[in-house]
């Protein structure tokens, strides 16, 4: 669907691309630059983490898995200065002990347009499917 995005949707999508690229490159500053200061991220269902210091620590731990993400599609919906990005994902990585890790989920991210025109995430839930599985 991202090929049909209008210009604003493409701007939102670029924020998501920037985050994923930085994450896979272990660029924690680049990852954090895609989030508002008080953003929340659900690294684990039901356990939100907020604030750049806490997010830095969590992202630093997760990049040690050498993650590689693939997305089957992307949807972006915008209402005023708020956008929702939805994307099913798969991740393959390697744990510190050398074992392979594979995960998948439904990413649901909420972004807000900043005064400078950039879009930043305010909520990021890579486990949007969690309640469907319980």
């Amino acid at each position: 669907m991202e090929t049909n995005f209008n210009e604003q949707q493409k701007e939102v999508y670029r924020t998501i691309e920037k985050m994923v690229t930085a994450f896979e490159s272990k660029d924690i500053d680049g990852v954090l630059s895609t989030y508002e200061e008080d953003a929340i991220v659900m690294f684990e269902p039901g356990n939100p983490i907020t604030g750049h210091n806490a997010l830095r620590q969590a992202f630093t731990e997760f990049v040690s898995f050498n993650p590689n993400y693939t997305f089957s599609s992307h949807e972006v919906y915008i209402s005023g200065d708020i956008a929702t990005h939805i994307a099913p994902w798969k991740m393959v990585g390697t744990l510190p002990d050398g074992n392979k890790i594979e995960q998948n989920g439904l990413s649901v991210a909420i972004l807000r347009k900043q005064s400078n025109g950039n879009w930043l995430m305010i909520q990021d839930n890579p486990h949007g499917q969690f309640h469907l599985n319980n």
Side-chain angles (χ1 to χ4, degrees):
M1 178 174 181
E2 58 271 11
T3 57
N4 299 322
F5 285 168
N6 65 33
E7 205 48 49
Q8 273 212 86
Q9 289 171 310
K10 288 178 184 177
E11 290 172 12
V12 170
Y13 178 65
R14 281 192 284 272
T15 299
I16 302 300
E17 282 186 308
K18 178 180 177 183
M19 183 278 190
V20 172
T21 299
F23 189 67
E24 290 180 341
S25 301
K26 299 182 180 184
D27 174 8
I28 303 303
D29 288 333
V31 169
L32 293 176
S33 74
T34 64
Y35 291 90
E36 284 191 4
E37 181 64 36
D38 293 326
I40 65 167
V41 178
M42 301 293 284
F43 288 98
E44 297 177 29
N47 187 22
I49 295 177
T50 188
H52 273 195
N53 289 336
L55 293 178
R56 178 180 299 281
Q57 182 178 359
F59 278 117
T60 298
E61 179 182 325
F62 279 101
V63 298
S64 69
F65 300 164
N66 298 310
N68 184 11
Y69 285 89
T70 56
F71 299 88
S72 57
S73 63
H74 295 269
E75 296 179 51
V76 174
Y77 303 101
I78 300 172
S79 177
D81 65 349
I82 300 293
T84 302
H85 171 266
I86 303 168
W89 58 270
K90 292 182 180 180
M91 184 275 292
V92 176
T94 306
L95 295 171
D97 65 6
N99 286 319
K100 185 177 180 180
I101 181 174
E102 293 185 56
Q103 295 181 341
N104 61 60
L106 179 67
S107 173
V108 179
I110 309 300
L111 299 88
R112 181 175 14 231
K113 191 170 189 174
Q114 308 297 299
S115 59
N116 65 3
N118 292 336
W119 289 89
L120 296 179
M121 283 182 272
I122 57 176
Q123 296 180 5
D124 183 4
N125 183 358
H127 304 286
Q129 82 293 348
F130 176 72
H131 290 289
L132 293 175
N133 299 333
N134 291 320

